[in-house]
Amino acid sequence: MDSQNSTKSSLPQNLNRLPELARNLWWSWTLEARQLFETIDPTLWFLTNHNPVKLLADIQSDRLTRLAEDPSFLRQYSAVFRQFDEYLANKKSWVGTHHADLTKKTIAYFSAEFGLHASVPIYSGGLGILAGDHCKEASDLGLPLVGVGFMYPQGYFRQRITPEGWQEAAYAPFNRDESPIHLAQTPSGEACRFTVDMGNRRVTAAVWKLLVGRITLLLIDTDVPENSPEDRALSARLYGGDQEMRICQEILLGIGGVRMLRSLGISPSVWHANEGHSAFLTLERVREFVQKGSSHAEACELVRQSTVFTTHTPVPAGHDVFPHHLMDRYFTGYWDQLGLSRDEFLRLGDTPGSHSGFNMTALVMRLSAHVNGVSREHGRVTREMWQHFWPGLPTDQIPIRSVTNGIHAPTWISPELHHLYSKSLSPTWTQTCDDPAMWQRVMDVPDHELWAVRQAMKRKLMGFIRERARNGWVHGHLQPSQVLTRGTLMDPEALTIGFARRFATYKRATLLFRDLERLKVLLQDRWRPVQLIFAGKAHPADEPGRYFIHEVLSFCHDHKLGGRVAFLEDYEMHMAKYLVQGVDIWLNTPRFPLEASGTSGMKAALNGVLNLSVLDGWWVEGYNGANGWGIQPLSEQADVQTQDHHDGEQLYRLLEQEVIPLFYQRDRDGIPRGWLQMVKECIRTTAPQFCTTRMLKDYVSLMYRAATVRMPATW
Ligand SMILES: *Cc1c(COP(=O)(O)O)cnc(C)c1O
C-alpha cells in the first residue's frame, strides 16, 4: 500500500529524503521546495499536476542517478532541507512567543472537507479551502492543531463538459499510492481502527494521516474489509449520497472523530467545528462526561465552554436538517447515555421553523459558547437569523461574533510576484503577512516592474489554457468546436475578466449576459477588447446551476462573440491558482446578502488582480473606493428581478465608464499608470487584512483563548 518503500529503494543515498519532503505538504507552499521537484523533471512535474509523490514514483532512475552527481542540484537540495528542518524545529513561533501556555494544548479542528493541494482531492470548494488554509497557517504560527476529516477515496466529482455544453459528473478512482498519506498508528504502534454503532450495525474505520508542516490531519476511511460493501462506500465521496448517507457520514465525523482522537491518545482542550457537519461531536463529548459521572447539565456546560463553532451559511436552507425518523433510527439508545429522554434529545436540534427535523446548526449553537460568522456582514446576518435563541436580547448583543476569512498567502501567491515581494517588501514577507507597514512599501515598487510581472502572470495563464486545450485535442477528448470554447483564441493583451466559483444560482454567473447587445459591443471592440474566462462546477443535483453552465457554454460557442468567452472544464485548486493570478479583473456577482465571505477575491487581490464585485461578504470590509470596484446592492427586501436588473446595470456602467478606460489608458511606454496605482492600493489594503495570519491570530485571541479557560486540568 505504501509506495514510499519502492521509491526509497531506487533512490540514490544522497537524495533519500525526497520522499519525506513529498509527504509533508509543507513543500506545496514553499517556493524553493516546489522548484526542487520541478528541477527533478519539469515535464513530469507538469504532467502530474505538481504531485511530487507521483513524480517520484514515475521518475526514471537514471535521471535520479545523474541528479545525485549534479553539484548545483545538490546545493538546491541541501538548502531546501535546511529550511525544512528549521521549520519543523519550530524555534520562534508566534504562538510560542505570545501564547506559550497554548503550546501545550491541542485544538481539534473538525471539517467535512480540507482543500490543501490538488493532489489530495478531499474538498469541493471554498469551505474546504478555508479549512486547508487554516491548517497551513496553524502550522506556520506554531498552533498545536489537529485536523479531523475524511479520506474520500473518490473525492469530489470531476467535471466533464459534453460537446453540447452540458456538465457531466465523473468519479476518478483515487490512487492512495499517489497521495502523501500515511496510515495513522496508535501510541502502541498498531494501525489505528475505531468503530461506531450506526443503528443496528457497527461500522469500522481506518485512519490516514496527512502531514501539513508541523501539524497533522487525521482522515477517516471506512473502506476496510470488515465492513459491508455499503459501509465501505460510506466515506467514498464528498457530498455524494442521500440524506441517510449524509447522517451516517456526519455520525462518523462527529462521534467517530472523537473516538478516533481517544484511540490515538489525543485529548484536545478546544474542539472547533468548522460548519455544522461535525456537530455530533458535541453529543459524544456530553456522553463521555455523563459516563464519567457528570450530570447532563454539567456535561453540557463543560462542552459548551470548550467548543468553537464557525458557521458559513447565511440562509436557513443551507443547514443540514435530519427528519426525526432518521434520528430515531440512529440515536435510539444513544440519548439514554446522555441522560436524556427522546423528547429532550430531539429538542437539542429544534428551531422555531423546523419542529419535524433535527437541525445540526441548532445543535451546535446550543452546545457551543464560542460562535462566529465568517465576515462582519455575515456575523450580522447570523445574529438576526438565530435571534430567537436569545429572546429579548437586542440583536447586536447576541453572542455571535465574526472572524473574517483570510487566505494563506504563500499558497496563493504567484511565483513571479513572490520574487518581486521578496525583493521589494522583505525577503521574509510571508512571515509577516498581517503587517500593514510592510505592505505599505508596495506603493514604491516601480510601475514598469509590477506591470512586467503582471503581464508574465497573464501569459502563464494563457499558456496553461492553451496546453490544456491542446492536450484534450491531441488525446481526442475534445472536438474542434470545443477547442475554441476552451479559450484558445484568448489574447494576452486584452482586458481579461475571470469568474470562477461554484455555479450556485445565487452567484449569478450569467448576470453579465443580461444585455447581450451591450456586452457584444465590449467584447468586439477592436482597440479595447474585453474577454471573459469562466470556470466552476454545479452540484450534480443542482439543475438550475447546470443550466447556467450550459448557458455560458452557448456563449462560448457563439461565433459572433469571436472566441472571447471561454469556459474551462473541471475547476479545482490547481486551475484556481492560474486564474486568480493571471486575469486582470476578478468578477463576483452574488445576490446580496448570500455571500457569507468569499475567498477567491482575496486570492486575486493578493496577486494584484482588481476586484469588481457586489458589496457583499468580505468585500464590504475590503473595498475602500480606490482599491477596486464595488456594486452597491439594493436592500435584501427588494425582489429578485429588481435586484438583478439594478446590479446588472451597475456592472455594465462600471465596465464601460471606469474599468475598460482605466485599463487601456497607457503612457508613452505602454504602461497603464492609473491602473497600477489601483493595483498597488488593492495589495496594500487587502493583503494584510485578508490573510490567514490575521485570521488565525483572531481565532486565537477571540475564540481559542476563551475556550481554554475554566476547564478542569484533565480535559
Ligand atoms: C478559493 C476557491 C473557492 C472559493 O471561491 P469563492 O469565490 O470564495 O466562492 C472555490 N473553489 C476553489 C477551487 C478555490 O480555489
Side-chain angles (χ1 to χ4, degrees), residues 123-130 133 405 407 412 499-502 506-507 536 570-577 580 586-588 595 597-603 618:
Y123 67 94
S124 75
L127 176 72
I129 288 165
L130 178 82
D133 279 6
N405 284 346
I407 52 151
W412 295 102
F499 182 103
R501 50 183 53 80
R502 197 158 49 85
Y506 81 84
K507 300 204 180 218
D570 204 30
Y571 181 55
E572 40 66 54
M573 280 183 86
H574 187 63
M575 181 189 291
K577 287 184 187 170
V580 298
W586 196 252
L587 177 68
N588 192 12
E595 181 89 322
S597 165
T599 52
S600 62
M602 304 173 185
K603 302 168 194 167
W618 80 281

Side-chain angles (χ1 to χ4, degrees), residues 88-132:
L88 293 180
N90 188 14
K91 289 268 165 49
K92 282 190 316 234
S93 74
W94 177 80
V95 172
T97 311
H98 297 273
H99 299 275
D101 55 319
L102 280 186
T103 57
K104 291 180 195 65
K105 312 238 154 138
T106 299
I107 292 149
Y109 182 85
F110 284 63
S111 182
E113 43 173 313
F114 286 92
L116 292 145
H117 188 259
S119 60
V120 194
I122 55 171
Y123 67 94
S124 75
L127 176 72
I129 288 165
L130 178 82

